[in-house]
Amino acid sequence: MNKALSIFNQLRPVTIGFDSMFDNFERMFEDDFFNTSSSYPAYDIVKTDENQYDVEVALAGFNKKDIKVEFADGQLSIESIKNQTAKEKDNGKIYKGIAKRYFKKSFSIADNCEVKGAELKDGLLKVSLERIIPETQKPKVIEIK
């Protein structure tokens, strides 16, 4: 058994309400998540405010119709779409150094985060996220009776 999984199993008896988080981590380890990630395309994760984040992906040569951004079941996926014909690929180029190959990047997103939007500008795709803290999770003082 993976050492990380045994740590999660040791934490389960002393935690309440973290089941989905532990399940996500277990899925990551079972799917060999950490060994299959590619460095292409390059990306940054930027914390822009206390509860706001941007995922920035370098996509030189791509335009909006070449990219699909999808959020489902706690997973943010950014994927290139194969829609070029052989004639479009050549387009008179003598040398093609700008990589426009297929890719798929996935990120696990916390349950309390919302995807606010995506923008492609100057070869940089920016997906904005915001962590929403419900009233029940904000600190409160408990009155003693």
Side-chain angles (χ1 to χ4, degrees), residues 71-84:
F71 179 66
D73 297 325
Q75 292 288 313
L76 172 66
S77 296
I78 302 169
E79 180 177 12
S80 63
I81 300 170
K82 298 178 186 177
N83 62 355
Q84 292 181 324

Side-chain angles (χ1 to χ4, degrees), residues 10-98:
Q10 291 173 4
L11 289 172
R12 283 185 190 265
V14 294
T15 59
I16 299 169
F18 293 95
D19 297 336
S20 64
M21 181 177 67
F22 290 143
D23 292 343
N24 284 338
F25 282 128
E26 286 178 2
R27 186 179 67 238
M28 291 164 96
F29 284 106
E30 288 171 357
D31 292 344
D32 209 18
F33 178 83
F34 296 104
N35 294 329
T36 58
S37 62
S38 164
S39 62
Y40 177 80
Y43 68 92
D44 291 333
I45 300 173
V46 181
K47 187 172 185 175
T48 58
D49 198 2
E50 185 176 343
N51 293 312
Q52 297 184 352
Y53 304 87
D54 288 337
V55 175
E56 299 175 341
V57 185
L59 296 175
F62 287 89
N63 60 43
K64 293 177 194 177
K65 66 181 180 209
D66 297 328
I67 304 162
K68 179 172 87 171
V69 178
E70 184 176 66
F71 179 66
D73 297 325
Q75 292 288 313
L76 172 66
S77 296
I78 302 169
E79 180 177 12
S80 63
I81 300 170
K82 298 178 186 177
N83 62 355
Q84 292 181 324
T85 64
K87 190 174 186 178
E88 289 175 324
K89 286 182 182 178
D90 292 340
N91 205 17
K93 292 181 183 169
I94 296 171
Y95 173 77
K96 187 172 179 169
I98 297 175

